[in-house]
Amino acid sequence: MNHQIDSLAYTNSLRGLPPSHKLSFAIALLILSLVSHVAVQLSIALWLTIWIVVYAGIPAKLYLRLLSVPLVFLLTSLPALAMGAVAGDRIPEIQWDIWQGWGISIGTFYLYVSSTGIYQVSLLFARAFASTSCMYFILLTVPFTEILQILRQLRCPELVTELLLLMYRFIFSLLAIADELWTAQNSRCGYRTWKRGMHSLGILIGQLLLRTLENYRQVSLTLASRGFNGELRVWNSYPYKPSQRYTFEAVFGCTVLTVLSVVFQS
């Protein structure tokens, strides 16, 4: 999936738009999603889904799979926020906070569903959903090398951009090596039982460390053989062409969402 995500960033239907426009659009929506009402946050997530799936041409199945990863972690943590617990003798004090009388006594404690907690859960879920959609829009429509070019234009320290480039490269290499090792072990029934799986996992981690170090050594030799002087330069000659339609829709949509956010908060 990782190589597929990287390839989609170079082949999506919004590839011809200037990367600065796409980044500005996503960052504006990200800021708005952090300070706006729940209804506006959900609208941002749905609107970006249209941009990603319909305009950019990203497969809906892949996008849903990507969304499911952070949302599953989020959903597993939400019950802890929605639940409350007090001592049994304090039940009358929190009657107003018990949601529809949902509660149960466990020993000397009373466990209940909190109305305040449910409200906080709704806020957190909507904000995380909108923010994740903004980040996926950048990930799926803007190649990482173009993001680095924009950072250089903004006078970002070269050390930071070079570290980001190397980290990006090694993350994909690490995932590719781990996938190859896991496939080889799985084809030999390396994870048939729990005990055998733990043994295979230990071997995988050890081999992954060795191959990562070897990969790092090869990259260092390659850079040295090509006269690396401490600065990495990435050249890009892709012809960008702004779209009046997309620009108008982005500006108009952001304006409407901003107005709605002010109306809801007033």
Side-chain angles (χ1 to χ4, degrees):
M1 180 188 295
N2 303 290
H3 294 290
Q4 186 179 5
I5 294 173
D6 199 42
S7 63
L8 286 173
Y10 286 93
T11 59
N12 66 88
S13 301
L14 300 178
R15 179 71 171 90
L17 298 180
S20 57
H21 291 189
K22 290 181 284 188
L23 279 176
S24 300
F25 174 60
I27 292 173
L29 290 181
L30 179 61
I31 296 174
L32 188 60
S33 66
L34 295 176
V35 299
S36 59
H37 189 267
V38 172
V40 177
Q41 293 169 345
L42 294 177
S43 299
I44 291 174
L46 294 177
W47 190 33
L48 282 177
T49 300
I50 296 176
W51 276 83
I52 294 173
V53 176
V54 180
Y55 298 163
I58 305 299
K61 186 176 181 180
L62 173 64
Y63 182 58
L64 291 177
R65 287 176 60 191
L66 291 174
L67 278 178
S68 64
V69 176
L71 290 182
V72 166
F73 284 100
L74 177 63
L75 291 174
T76 55
S77 61
L78 290 182
L81 297 175
M83 303 298 295
V86 296
D89 57 352
R90 295 185 57 191
I91 295 178
E93 300 177 11
I94 49 93
Q95 284 292 336
W96 61 272
D97 194 34
I98 301 177
W99 186 69
Q100 295 185 357
W102 283 45
I104 184 174
S105 297
I106 302 178
T108 59
F109 291 94
Y110 183 74
L111 186 66
Y112 66 98
V113 179
S114 171
S115 299
T116 305
I118 291 179
Y119 176 71
Q120 292 177 346
V121 163
S122 64
L123 292 178
L124 180 60
F125 178 81
R127 183 173 299 173
F129 189 21
S131 302
T132 302
S133 300
C134 295
M135 300 306 297
Y136 275 141
F137 177 79
I138 297 176
L139 179 66
L140 294 170
T141 62
V142 185
F144 190 75
T145 54
E146 295 180 355
I147 297 177
L148 293 180
Q149 287 182 345
I150 294 176
L151 291 177
R152 291 191 179 101
Q153 293 173 2
L154 295 175
R155 305 301 181 185
C156 183
E158 293 184 358
L159 178 61
V160 176
T161 58
E162 291 169 6
L163 286 176
L164 288 174
L165 179 60
L166 291 175
M167 288 173 59
Y168 182 77
R169 195 266 181 192
F170 275 106
I171 286 174
F172 278 93
S173 299
L174 189 69
L175 293 174
I177 294 172
D179 184 66
E180 292 175 0
L181 293 173
W182 183 86
T183 301
Q185 289 180 332
N186 197 37
S187 64
R188 295 173 173 82
C189 301
Y191 297 91
R192 183 175 55 184
T193 62
W194 184 86
K195 183 177 180 180
R196 189 177 182 87
M198 291 297 100
H199 178 70
S200 299
L201 181 62
I203 296 177
L204 185 147
I205 294 174
Q207 289 295 319
L208 187 62
L209 176 61
L210 293 176
R211 294 200 183 188
T212 302
L213 294 175
E214 177 62 22
N215 194 4
Y216 169 76
R217 188 183 69 85
Q218 293 176 357
V219 171
S220 300
L221 291 176
T222 302
L223 291 175
S225 64
R226 296 183 179 180
F228 176 66
N229 60 356
E231 183 178 357
L232 296 173
R233 289 291 181 181
V234 180
W235 180 71
N236 184 21
S237 62
Y238 194 89
Y240 302 120
K241 183 179 180 180
S243 171
Q244 293 183 355
R245 175 211 163 184
Y246 288 137
T247 302
F248 173 78
E249 182 175 345
V251 173
F252 180 77
C254 290
T255 304
V256 172
L257 291 173
T258 303
V259 172
L260 291 176
S261 178
V262 173
V263 170
F264 280 123
Q265 293 180 357
S266 61

